[in-house]
Amino acid sequence: MAVILCYGDSNTHGTTPLEKLGAFARHAPGDRWPDVMSKALGPAHQVISEGLPGRTTVHDDIVEGGMRNGLTVLPAILQSHAPIDLMVLMLGTNDLKHRFSVTAFEISRSLERMVLATRAEGVVKDILLVSPVPVREAGVLKDVFAGAGDRQHGLTAFIAAAAARQGVGFFDAGSVVTVSPDDGVHWDAAAHHAMGAAMAQAVAARL
């Protein structure tokens, strides 16, 4: 059985578009993209969803707290699910928050560092690096992501280049999904189903 680890943030977790700050909800099982992908891939594949709302690539979040630094907890998560045939890595959205003030290039370099850290653990055979869906400065999260529209310029191309340098797979989530206008970050159920179907094809090809 092929083991696939989906390592990401709230859009891997399945967080629904927010109607007001602090009011979090989650799409039902089966409506989250890792679940959709798992069903499409079939019983010969075990899909593990490791999505944490607010997770960054390499940054500690002193506002939200809660071990949001994806690099810090990565070794423990990899070892707890080892051996892993493929890790699907989709992070970078939360790095666009105003409080971090990093560039698109720096986000791509942070993801590249995560690829190297993953390899160092020696329990993952292959990696599929996913460029996150572009955010919009809209709705209840517009102030949290103030300036993100400009900071994310070129992000997809930078991540594609990082994937090429490291010899890992690449997929552009923005090619199949757009964010909800309600908060400019999260996806509706239809988007999760579209992402799951597209990722099933990308994962099957990579395996």
Side-chain angles (χ1 to χ4, degrees):
M1 179 176 288
V3 176
I4 303 151
L5 174 68
C6 302
Y7 192 58
D9 51 32
S10 57
N11 282 322
T12 297
H13 174 264
T15 301
T16 61
L18 306 183
E19 297 180 359
K20 62 180 180 178
L21 288 177
F24 291 95
R26 192 178 188 186
H27 288 294
D31 284 333
R32 307 162 193 164
W33 76 259
D35 296 345
V36 175
M37 181 180 75
S38 178
K39 183 177 180 180
L41 288 172
H45 304 79
Q46 180 187 6
V47 176
I48 301 166
S49 181
E50 277 285 358
L52 174 67
R55 178 176 280 152
T56 69
T57 55
V58 300
H59 307 286
D60 294 323
D61 192 331
I62 61 173
V63 175
E64 294 191 23
M67 294 296 290
R68 295 309 205 273
N69 186 324
L71 184 65
T72 299
V73 299
L74 178 62
I77 288 176
L78 294 179
Q79 294 293 339
S80 68
H81 296 299
I84 299 164
D85 293 285
L86 179 68
M87 180 171 79
V88 178
L89 174 59
M90 183 172 67
L91 286 172
T93 296
N94 289 297
D95 294 42
L96 290 166
K97 291 176 178 176
H98 184 266
R99 70 188 65 142
F100 299 117
S101 295
V102 295
T103 67
F105 177 71
E106 289 169 331
I107 294 171
S108 73
R109 292 292 285 168
S110 297
L111 286 165
E112 199 165 357
R113 184 180 175 194
M114 296 190 76
V115 169
L116 294 171
T118 298
R119 285 183 171 148
E121 293 301 311
V123 296
V124 177
K125 291 182 180 179
D126 196 11
I127 300 168
L128 180 58
L129 190 56
V130 180
S131 180
V133 179
V135 304
R136 294 172 56 188
E137 296 174 57
V140 299
L141 294 177
K142 65 180 180 180
D143 294 322
V144 177
F145 285 87
D150 290 334
R151 287 195 301 278
Q152 70 186 347
H153 180 70
L155 181 59
T156 299
F158 285 132
I159 294 176
R165 280 193 298 271
Q166 294 301 322
V168 300
F170 172 77
F171 184 83
D172 176 15
S175 66
V176 294
V177 172
T178 57
V179 297
S180 168
D182 292 341
D183 66 8
V185 172
H186 298 108
W187 314 344
D188 61 21
H192 273 270
H193 279 265
M195 178 67 171
M199 287 302 300
Q201 294 183 15
V203 165
R206 192 71 191 178
L207 289 173

Coordinates of all heavy atoms in Angstrom, one line a residue, residues 94-189:
N94 N 0.1 31.1 4.7 CA 0.2 31.9 5.9 C 1.4 32.7 6.0 O 1.4 33.7 6.8 CB 0.1 30.9 7.1 CG -1.3 30.4 7.2 OD1 -2.3 31.1 7.4 ND2 -1.5 29.1 7.1
D95 N 2.5 32.4 5.3 CA 3.7 33.2 5.2 C 3.3 34.6 4.6 O 4.1 35.6 4.8 CB 4.7 32.6 4.4 CG 5.3 31.3 5.0 OD1 4.5 30.5 5.5 OD2 6.5 31.1 4.9
L96 N 2.2 34.7 3.9 CA 1.8 36.0 3.2 C 1.1 36.9 4.2 O 0.8 38.1 3.8 CB 0.9 35.7 2.1 CG 1.5 35.0 0.8 CD1 0.5 34.5 -0.1 CD2 2.5 36.0 0.1
K97 N 0.9 36.5 5.4 CA 0.3 37.4 6.4 C 1.2 38.6 6.6 O 2.4 38.5 6.6 CB 0.1 36.7 7.7 CG -1.0 35.6 7.7 CD -1.2 34.9 9.0 CE -2.3 33.9 8.9 NZ -2.4 33.0 10.1
H98 N 0.6 39.7 6.9 CA 1.4 41.0 7.1 C 2.4 40.9 8.2 O 3.5 41.5 8.1 CB 0.4 42.1 7.3 CG 1.0 43.5 7.4 ND1 1.5 44.0 8.6 CD2 1.4 44.4 6.4 CE1 2.0 45.2 8.4 NE2 2.0 45.4 7.1
R99 N 2.1 40.1 9.2 CA 3.0 40.1 10.4 C 4.4 39.5 10.0 O 5.4 39.7 10.7 CB 2.4 39.3 11.5 CG 2.2 37.8 11.3 CD 1.4 37.1 12.3 NE 0.0 37.6 12.3 CZ -1.0 36.8 12.6 NH1 -0.8 35.5 12.9 NH2 -2.2 37.3 12.5
F100 N 4.5 38.7 8.9 CA 5.7 38.0 8.5 C 6.5 38.9 7.5 O 7.7 38.8 7.5 CB 5.5 36.6 8.0 CG 4.8 35.7 9.0 CD1 3.6 35.2 8.8 CD2 5.5 35.4 10.2 CE1 3.0 34.3 9.7 CE2 4.9 34.6 11.2 CZ 3.6 34.1 10.9
S101 N 5.8 39.6 6.7 CA 6.4 40.5 5.7 C 7.6 39.9 4.9 O 8.7 40.4 4.9 CB 6.9 41.8 6.4 OG 5.8 42.5 6.9
V102 N 7.3 38.7 4.3 CA 8.4 38.0 3.5 C 8.0 38.1 2.1 O 6.8 38.3 1.7 CB 8.6 36.6 4.0 CG1 9.2 36.5 5.4 CG2 7.3 35.8 3.9
T103 N 8.9 37.9 1.2 CA 8.7 38.0 -0.2 C 8.3 36.6 -0.8 O 8.5 35.6 -0.1 CB 9.9 38.5 -1.0 OG1 11.0 37.5 -0.8 CG2 10.4 39.8 -0.4
A104 N 7.8 36.6 -2.0 CA 7.5 35.3 -2.7 C 8.7 34.5 -2.8 O 8.7 33.2 -2.6 CB 6.9 35.6 -4.0
F105 N 9.9 35.1 -3.2 CA 11.1 34.3 -3.3 C 11.5 33.7 -2.0 O 11.9 32.5 -1.9 CB 12.2 35.2 -3.8 CG 13.6 34.6 -3.9 CD1 13.8 33.6 -4.9 CD2 14.6 34.8 -3.0 CE1 15.0 33.0 -5.0 CE2 15.8 34.2 -3.1 CZ 16.0 33.3 -4.1
E106 N 11.4 34.4 -0.9 CA 11.7 33.9 0.4 C 10.8 32.7 0.8 O 11.3 31.7 1.4 CB 11.7 35.0 1.5 CG 12.8 36.0 1.4 CD 12.5 37.2 2.3 OE1 11.4 37.5 2.5 OE2 13.5 37.8 2.7
I107 N 9.6 32.8 0.4 CA 8.7 31.6 0.7 C 9.1 30.4 -0.1 O 9.1 29.3 0.5 CB 7.2 32.0 0.3 CG1 6.7 33.1 1.2 CG2 6.3 30.8 0.4 CD1 5.3 33.7 0.8
S108 N 9.5 30.6 -1.3 CA 10.0 29.5 -2.1 C 11.3 28.9 -1.5 O 11.4 27.7 -1.5 CB 10.2 29.9 -3.6 OG 11.4 30.7 -3.7
R109 N 12.1 29.7 -1.0 CA 13.4 29.2 -0.3 C 13.0 28.5 1.0 O 13.7 27.5 1.3 CB 14.3 30.4 -0.1 CG 14.9 31.0 -1.3 CD 15.8 30.1 -2.1 NE 17.1 30.0 -1.3 CZ 18.0 29.1 -1.6 NH1 17.8 28.2 -2.5 NH2 19.2 29.1 -0.9
S110 N 12.0 29.0 1.7 CA 11.6 28.3 2.9 C 11.1 26.9 2.6 O 11.4 25.9 3.3 CB 10.6 29.1 3.6 OG 11.1 30.3 4.0
L111 N 10.3 26.8 1.5 CA 9.8 25.5 1.1 C 11.0 24.6 0.6 O 10.9 23.4 0.9 CB 8.8 25.6 -0.1 CG 7.4 26.2 0.3 CD1 6.6 26.6 -0.9 CD2 6.7 25.1 1.1
E112 N 12.0 25.1 0.0 CA 13.1 24.4 -0.4 C 13.8 23.8 0.8 O 14.3 22.7 0.8 CB 14.0 25.2 -1.3 CG 15.0 24.4 -2.1 CD 15.7 25.3 -3.2 OE1 15.4 26.5 -3.3 OE2 16.6 24.7 -3.9
R113 N 13.9 24.6 1.8 CA 14.5 24.2 3.1 C 13.7 23.0 3.7 O 14.3 22.1 4.2 CB 14.6 25.3 4.1 CG 15.3 25.0 5.4 CD 15.4 26.1 6.4 NE 15.9 25.7 7.6 CZ 15.9 26.4 8.8 NH1 15.3 27.6 8.8 NH2 16.4 25.9 9.9
M114 N 12.4 23.1 3.6 CA 11.6 22.0 4.1 C 11.8 20.7 3.3 O 11.8 19.6 3.9 CB 10.1 22.4 4.0 CG 9.8 23.6 5.0 SD 8.0 23.8 5.1 CE 7.6 22.5 6.2
V115 N 12.0 20.8 2.0 CA 12.3 19.7 1.2 C 13.6 19.0 1.7 O 13.7 17.8 1.9 CB 12.4 20.0 -0.3 CG1 13.0 18.9 -1.1 CG2 11.1 20.4 -0.8
L116 N 14.6 19.8 1.9 CA 15.9 19.3 2.4 C 15.8 18.7 3.8 O 16.4 17.6 4.1 CB 16.9 20.5 2.5 CG 17.3 21.0 1.1 CD1 18.2 22.3 1.3 CD2 18.1 20.0 0.3
A117 N 15.0 19.3 4.7 CA 14.8 18.7 6.0 C 14.0 17.4 5.9 O 14.3 16.5 6.7 CB 14.0 19.7 6.9
T118 N 13.1 17.3 5.0 CA 12.4 16.1 4.8 C 13.3 14.9 4.4 O 13.3 13.8 4.9 CB 11.3 16.2 3.7 OG1 10.3 17.2 4.2 CG2 10.5 14.9 3.4
R119 N 14.2 15.2 3.4 CA 15.1 14.2 3.0 C 16.1 13.8 4.1 O 16.5 12.6 4.2 CB 15.9 14.8 1.8 CG 15.2 14.8 0.5 CD 16.0 15.3 -0.6 NE 15.3 15.2 -1.9 CZ 15.5 16.0 -2.9 NH1 16.3 17.0 -2.8 NH2 14.9 15.8 -4.1
A120 N 16.4 14.7 5.0 CA 17.3 14.4 6.0 C 16.8 13.4 7.0 O 17.6 12.7 7.6 CB 17.7 15.7 6.8
E121 N 15.5 13.3 7.1 CA 14.9 12.3 8.0 C 15.0 10.9 7.4 O 14.9 9.9 8.2 CB 13.4 12.6 8.3 CG 13.2 13.9 9.1 CD 13.9 13.8 10.4 OE1 13.7 12.8 11.1 OE2 14.6 14.8 10.7
G122 N 15.1 10.8 6.1 CA 15.3 9.5 5.5 C 14.2 8.5 5.5 O 14.4 7.3 5.3
V123 N 12.9 9.0 5.6 CA 11.8 8.1 5.6 C 10.7 8.4 4.5 O 9.7 7.8 4.4 CB 11.0 8.2 7.0 CG1 12.0 7.8 8.1 CG2 10.5 9.7 7.3
V124 N 11.1 9.4 3.6 CA 10.2 9.8 2.5 C 10.8 9.5 1.2 O 11.9 10.0 0.9 CB 9.8 11.3 2.6 CG1 8.9 11.7 1.4 CG2 9.1 11.6 3.9
K125 N 10.2 8.7 0.4 CA 10.8 8.3 -0.9 C 10.7 9.5 -1.9 O 11.7 9.7 -2.7 CB 10.0 7.1 -1.5 CG 10.3 5.8 -0.8 CD 9.5 4.7 -1.4 CE 9.7 3.4 -0.7 NZ 9.0 2.2 -1.4
D126 N 9.6 10.2 -1.9 CA 9.5 11.3 -3.0 C 8.6 12.4 -2.4 O 7.8 12.2 -1.5 CB 8.8 10.7 -4.2 CG 9.0 11.5 -5.5 OD1 9.8 12.5 -5.4 OD2 8.3 11.2 -6.5
I127 N 8.7 13.6 -3.1 CA 8.0 14.8 -2.6 C 7.3 15.4 -3.8 O 7.9 15.5 -4.9 CB 9.0 15.8 -2.0 CG1 9.6 15.1 -0.8 CG2 8.2 17.1 -1.6 CD1 10.8 16.0 -0.2
L128 N 6.1 15.9 -3.6 CA 5.3 16.7 -4.6 C 5.1 18.0 -4.0 O 4.4 18.2 -3.0 CB 4.0 16.0 -4.9 CG 3.1 16.7 -6.0 CD1 3.8 16.9 -7.3 CD2 1.8 15.9 -6.2
L129 N 5.7 19.0 -4.5 CA 5.6 20.4 -4.0 C 4.5 21.1 -4.7 O 4.5 21.2 -5.9 CB 7.0 21.1 -4.2 CG 7.2 22.5 -3.5 CD1 7.0 22.4 -2.0 CD2 8.6 23.0 -3.9
V130 N 3.6 21.6 -3.9 CA 2.4 22.3 -4.4 C 2.4 23.8 -4.2 O 2.5 24.2 -3.0 CB 1.1 21.6 -3.9 CG1 -0.1 22.3 -4.4 CG2 1.1 20.1 -4.1
S131 N 2.3 24.6 -5.2 CA 2.2 26.0 -5.0 C 0.8 26.3 -4.6 O -0.2 25.9 -5.2 CB 2.5 26.7 -6.4 OG 2.4 28.1 -6.2
P132 N 0.6 27.1 -3.5 CA -0.7 27.4 -3.0 C -1.5 28.3 -3.9 O -1.0 29.0 -4.7 CB -0.4 28.0 -1.6 CG 0.9 28.6 -1.8 CD 1.7 27.7 -2.7
V133 N -2.8 28.3 -3.7 CA -3.7 29.1 -4.4 C -3.5 30.6 -4.0 O -3.4 30.9 -2.9 CB -5.2 28.7 -4.2 CG1 -6.1 29.6 -4.9 CG2 -5.4 27.2 -4.5
P134 N -3.4 31.5 -5.0 CA -3.2 32.9 -4.7 C -4.4 33.4 -3.8 O -5.5 33.1 -4.0 CB -3.3 33.6 -6.0 CG -2.8 32.6 -7.0 CD -3.4 31.3 -6.5
V135 N -4.0 34.2 -2.8 CA -5.0 34.8 -1.9 C -5.5 36.1 -2.4 O -5.0 36.7 -3.4 CB -4.4 35.0 -0.5 CG1 -3.8 33.8 0.1 CG2 -3.3 36.2 -0.5
R136 N -6.6 36.5 -1.9 CA -7.2 37.8 -2.2 C -7.3 38.6 -0.9 O -7.6 38.0 0.2 CB -8.6 37.7 -2.8 CG -8.6 37.0 -4.2 CD -10.0 36.7 -4.7 NE -10.9 37.9 -4.7 CZ -12.2 37.9 -4.9 NH1 -12.8 36.7 -5.1 NH2 -12.8 39.0 -5.0
E137 N -7.1 39.9 -1.0 CA -7.3 40.7 0.2 C -8.8 41.1 0.3 O -9.2 42.1 -0.3 CB -6.4 42.0 0.1 CG -4.9 41.7 0.2 CD -4.1 42.9 -0.1 OE1 -4.2 43.9 0.7 OE2 -3.3 42.9 -1.0
A138 N -9.6 40.2 0.9 CA -11.0 40.4 0.9 C -11.6 39.8 2.1 O -11.0 38.9 2.8 CB -11.6 39.6 -0.4
G139 N -12.8 40.2 2.4 CA -13.6 39.6 3.5 C -12.9 39.8 4.9 O -12.2 40.8 5.1
V140 N -13.2 38.9 5.8 CA -12.8 39.0 7.2 C -11.3 38.9 7.4 O -10.8 39.3 8.5 CB -13.6 38.0 8.1 CG1 -15.1 38.2 8.0 CG2 -13.2 36.6 7.7
L141 N -10.6 38.4 6.4 CA -9.1 38.2 6.6 C -8.3 39.3 5.8 O -7.1 39.2 5.8 CB -8.7 36.8 6.2 CG -9.2 35.7 7.0 CD1 -8.8 34.3 6.5 CD2 -8.8 35.8 8.5
K142 N -9.0 40.3 5.3 CA -8.3 41.3 4.5 C -7.2 42.0 5.3 O -6.2 42.4 4.7 CB -9.3 42.3 3.8 CG -10.0 43.2 4.8 CD -10.9 44.1 4.0 CE -11.7 45.0 5.0 NZ -12.6 45.9 4.3
D143 N -7.4 42.3 6.5 CA -6.4 43.0 7.3 C -5.3 42.1 7.7 O -4.1 42.5 7.8 CB -7.1 43.6 8.6 CG -8.0 44.7 8.2 OD1 -7.8 45.5 7.2 OD2 -9.1 44.8 8.9
V144 N -5.6 40.8 8.0 CA -4.5 39.8 8.3 C -3.6 39.7 7.1 O -2.4 39.5 7.3 CB -5.2 38.5 8.7 CG1 -4.1 37.4 9.0 CG2 -6.1 38.6 9.9
F145 N -4.1 39.7 5.9 CA -3.3 39.5 4.7 C -3.1 40.8 3.9 O -2.9 40.8 2.7 CB -4.0 38.5 3.8 CG -3.8 37.0 4.3 CD1 -4.8 36.5 5.2 CD2 -2.8 36.2 3.9 CE1 -4.6 35.2 5.7 CE2 -2.6 34.9 4.4 CZ -3.6 34.4 5.3
A146 N -3.1 41.9 4.6 CA -2.9 43.2 4.0 C -1.5 43.2 3.2 O -0.5 42.9 3.8 CB -2.9 44.3 5.0
G147 N -1.6 43.6 2.0 CA -0.4 43.6 1.1 C 0.0 42.3 0.5 O 1.0 42.2 -0.3
A148 N -0.7 41.2 0.8 CA -0.4 39.9 0.3 C -0.5 39.8 -1.2 O 0.3 39.1 -1.9 CB -1.3 38.8 0.9
G149 N -1.4 40.6 -1.8 CA -1.6 40.6 -3.2 C -0.3 40.9 -4.0 O 0.1 40.3 -5.0
D150 N 0.4 41.9 -3.5 CA 1.7 42.3 -4.1 C 2.8 41.4 -3.7 O 3.6 41.0 -4.5 CB 2.1 43.7 -3.6 CG 1.2 44.8 -4.2 OD1 0.6 44.5 -5.3 OD2 1.0 45.9 -3.6
R151 N 2.8 40.9 -2.4 CA 3.9 40.1 -2.0 C 3.9 38.7 -2.6 O 5.0 38.0 -2.7 CB 3.9 39.9 -0.4 CG 4.3 41.1 0.3 CD 4.6 40.8 1.8 NE 3.4 40.2 2.5 CZ 2.4 41.0 3.0 NH1 2.4 42.3 2.9 NH2 1.4 40.4 3.6
Q152 N 2.8 38.2 -3.1 CA 2.7 36.9 -3.7 C 3.1 36.9 -5.2 O 3.1 35.8 -5.8 CB 1.3 36.3 -3.5 CG 0.2 36.9 -4.3 CD -1.2 36.4 -4.0 OE1 -1.3 35.3 -3.3 NE2 -2.2 37.1 -4.4
H153 N 3.4 38.0 -5.7 CA 3.7 38.1 -7.1 C 4.9 37.2 -7.5 O 5.9 37.3 -6.9 CB 4.0 39.6 -7.5 CG 4.4 39.7 -9.0 ND1 3.4 39.6 -10.0 CD2 5.5 40.0 -9.6 CE1 4.0 39.8 -11.1 NE2 5.3 40.0 -10.9
G154 N 4.7 36.3 -8.4 CA 5.8 35.4 -8.8 C 5.9 34.2 -8.0 O 6.8 33.4 -8.3
L155 N 5.1 34.0 -7.0 CA 5.3 32.9 -6.1 C 5.2 31.5 -6.8 O 6.1 30.6 -6.5 CB 4.2 32.9 -5.0 CG 4.3 31.8 -3.9 CD1 5.6 31.8 -3.2 CD2 3.1 31.9 -2.9
T156 N 4.3 31.3 -7.7 CA 4.2 30.0 -8.4 C 5.4 29.7 -9.1 O 6.0 28.6 -9.1 CB 3.0 30.0 -9.3 OG1 1.8 30.2 -8.5 CG2 2.8 28.7 -10.0
A157 N 6.0 30.7 -9.9 CA 7.2 30.5 -10.6 C 8.4 30.2 -9.8 O 9.2 29.3 -10.1 CB 7.4 31.7 -11.5
F158 N 8.5 30.9 -8.6 CA 9.6 30.6 -7.7 C 9.5 29.2 -7.1 O 10.5 28.6 -7.0 CB 9.6 31.7 -6.6 CG 10.0 33.0 -7.0 CD1 9.3 34.2 -6.6 CD2 11.2 33.2 -7.6 CE1 9.7 35.4 -7.0 CE2 11.7 34.5 -8.0 CZ 10.9 35.6 -7.6
I159 N 8.3 28.8 -6.8 CA 8.2 27.4 -6.2 C 8.5 26.4 -7.3 O 9.1 25.3 -7.0 CB 6.8 27.2 -5.6 CG1 6.6 28.2 -4.4 CG2 6.6 25.8 -5.2 CD1 5.2 28.1 -3.8
A160 N 8.0 26.6 -8.5 CA 8.3 25.7 -9.6 C 9.8 25.6 -9.8 O 10.4 24.5 -10.0 CB 7.7 26.1 -10.9
A161 N 10.5 26.7 -9.7 CA 12.0 26.7 -9.9 C 12.6 25.9 -8.7 O 13.6 25.2 -8.9 CB 12.5 28.1 -9.9
A162 N 12.1 26.1 -7.5 CA 12.7 25.4 -6.3 C 12.5 23.9 -6.5 O 13.4 23.1 -6.2 CB 12.0 25.9 -5.0
A163 N 11.3 23.5 -7.0 CA 11.0 22.1 -7.2 C 12.0 21.5 -8.2 O 12.5 20.4 -8.1 CB 9.6 21.9 -7.7
A164 N 12.2 22.2 -9.3 CA 13.2 21.8 -10.3 C 14.6 21.6 -9.8 O 15.3 20.7 -10.1 CB 13.2 22.8 -11.5
R165 N 15.0 22.6 -9.0 CA 16.4 22.5 -8.4 C 16.5 21.2 -7.5 O 17.6 20.6 -7.5 CB 16.6 23.7 -7.5 CG 17.1 25.0 -8.3 CD 17.6 26.0 -7.3 NE 16.7 26.5 -6.4 CZ 15.8 27.5 -6.6 NH1 15.8 28.1 -7.7 NH2 15.0 27.9 -5.6
Q166 N 15.5 20.9 -6.8 CA 15.5 19.8 -5.9 C 15.1 18.5 -6.5 O 15.2 17.4 -5.9 CB 14.6 20.1 -4.6 CG 15.1 21.2 -3.8 CD 16.5 21.0 -3.3 OE1 16.9 19.8 -2.9 NE2 17.3 22.0 -3.2
G167 N 14.7 18.5 -7.7 CA 14.3 17.3 -8.4 C 13.0 16.6 -7.8 O 12.9 15.4 -7.8
V168 N 12.1 17.4 -7.3 CA 10.9 16.9 -6.8 C 9.7 17.3 -7.7 O 9.9 18.1 -8.7 CB 10.6 17.4 -5.4 CG1 11.7 17.0 -4.5 CG2 10.4 18.9 -5.4
G169 N 8.5 16.7 -7.5 CA 7.4 17.0 -8.3 C 6.8 18.4 -8.0 O 7.1 19.0 -7.0
F170 N 6.0 18.9 -9.0 CA 5.5 20.3 -8.8 C 4.0 20.3 -9.3 O 3.7 19.7 -10.3 CB 6.3 21.3 -9.5 CG 5.6 22.7 -9.6 CD1 5.6 23.5 -8.4 CD2 4.9 23.1 -10.7 CE1 5.0 24.7 -8.4 CE2 4.2 24.3 -10.7 CZ 4.3 25.2 -9.6
F171 N 3.2 20.9 -8.6 CA 1.8 21.1 -9.0 C 1.3 22.5 -8.6 O 1.6 23.0 -7.5 CB 0.9 20.1 -8.4 CG -0.6 20.1 -8.9 CD1 -0.9 19.5 -10.0 CD2 -1.5 20.8 -8.1 CE1 -2.2 19.6 -10.5 CE2 -2.8 20.9 -8.6 CZ -3.2 20.3 -9.8
D172 N 0.6 23.2 -9.5 CA 0.1 24.5 -9.2 C -1.4 24.4 -8.8 O -2.3 24.2 -9.7 CB 0.2 25.4 -10.5 CG -0.4 26.8 -10.3 OD1 -0.7 27.2 -9.2 OD2 -0.5 27.4 -11.4
A173 N -1.7 24.6 -7.5 CA -3.1 24.5 -7.1 C -3.9 25.6 -7.6 O -5.2 25.4 -7.8 CB -3.1 24.5 -5.5
G174 N -3.3 26.7 -7.9 CA -4.1 27.8 -8.5 C -4.6 27.5 -9.9 O -5.4 28.3 -10.4
S175 N -4.1 26.5 -10.5 CA -4.6 26.1 -11.9 C -6.0 25.5 -11.8 O -6.6 25.4 -12.9 CB -3.6 25.2 -12.6 OG -3.5 23.9 -11.9
V176 N -6.4 25.0 -10.7 CA -7.7 24.4 -10.6 C -8.6 25.0 -9.5 O -9.8 24.7 -9.5 CB -7.5 22.9 -10.3 CG1 -6.9 22.2 -11.5 CG2 -6.7 22.6 -9.0
V177 N -8.1 25.8 -8.6 CA -8.9 26.3 -7.5 C -8.7 27.8 -7.4 O -7.7 28.4 -7.6 CB -8.4 25.7 -6.2 CG1 -9.0 26.3 -4.9 CG2 -8.6 24.2 -6.2
T178 N -9.8 28.5 -7.0 CA -9.8 29.9 -6.5 C -10.3 30.0 -5.1 O -11.1 29.2 -4.7 CB -10.6 30.8 -7.5 OG1 -11.9 30.3 -7.5 CG2 -10.0 30.8 -8.9
V179 N -9.9 31.0 -4.4 CA -10.3 31.2 -3.0 C -11.7 31.8 -3.0 O -12.2 32.4 -3.9 CB -9.3 32.1 -2.3 CG1 -7.9 31.5 -2.2 CG2 -9.2 33.5 -2.9
S180 N -12.3 31.6 -1.8 CA -13.7 32.2 -1.6 C -13.6 33.7 -1.4 O -12.7 34.1 -0.7 CB -14.3 31.5 -0.4 OG -15.5 32.2 0.0
P181 N -14.5 34.4 -2.0 CA -14.5 35.9 -1.7 C -14.9 36.2 -0.3 O -14.7 37.4 0.1 CB -15.5 36.4 -2.7 CG -16.4 35.3 -3.0 CD -15.5 34.1 -2.9
D182 N -15.4 35.3 0.5 CA -15.8 35.5 1.8 C -14.7 35.9 2.7 O -14.8 36.7 3.6 CB -16.6 34.3 2.4 CG -17.9 34.1 1.7 OD1 -18.4 35.0 1.1 OD2 -18.4 33.0 1.8
D183 N -13.5 35.2 2.5 CA -12.3 35.6 3.3 C -11.1 35.7 2.5 O -10.0 36.0 3.1 CB -12.2 34.6 4.5 CG -11.8 33.2 4.1 OD1 -11.6 32.9 2.9 OD2 -11.8 32.3 5.0
G184 N -11.1 35.4 1.3 CA -9.9 35.5 0.4 C -8.8 34.5 0.6 O -7.8 34.6 -0.1
V185 N -9.1 33.4 1.4 CA -8.0 32.4 1.7 C -8.5 31.0 1.5 O -7.9 30.2 0.9 CB -7.5 32.6 3.1 CG1 -6.5 31.5 3.5 CG2 -6.8 34.0 3.2
H186 N -9.7 30.7 2.0 CA -10.2 29.3 2.1 C -11.0 29.0 0.9 O -11.4 29.8 0.1 CB -10.9 29.1 3.4 CG -10.0 29.3 4.6 ND1 -10.1 30.4 5.5 CD2 -9.0 28.6 5.1 CE1 -9.2 30.4 6.4 NE2 -8.5 29.3 6.2
W187 N -11.4 27.7 0.8 CA -12.0 27.1 -0.4 C -13.4 26.6 0.0 O -13.6 26.1 1.1 CB -11.2 26.0 -1.0 CG -9.8 26.2 -1.2 CD1 -9.1 27.4 -1.1 CD2 -8.8 25.2 -1.4 NE1 -7.7 27.2 -1.4 CE2 -7.5 25.8 -1.5 CE3 -8.9 23.8 -1.6 CZ2 -6.4 25.1 -1.8 CZ3 -7.7 23.1 -1.8 CH2 -6.5 23.7 -1.9
D188 N -14.3 26.7 -1.0 CA -15.6 26.1 -0.7 C -15.5 24.6 -1.1 O -14.5 24.1 -1.5 CB -16.7 26.8 -1.5 CG -16.5 26.7 -3.1 OD1 -15.7 25.9 -3.6 OD2 -17.1 27.6 -3.7
A189 N -16.6 23.9 -0.9 CA -16.6 22.4 -1.1 C -16.3 22.0 -2.5 O -15.6 21.0 -2.8 CB -17.9 21.8 -0.6

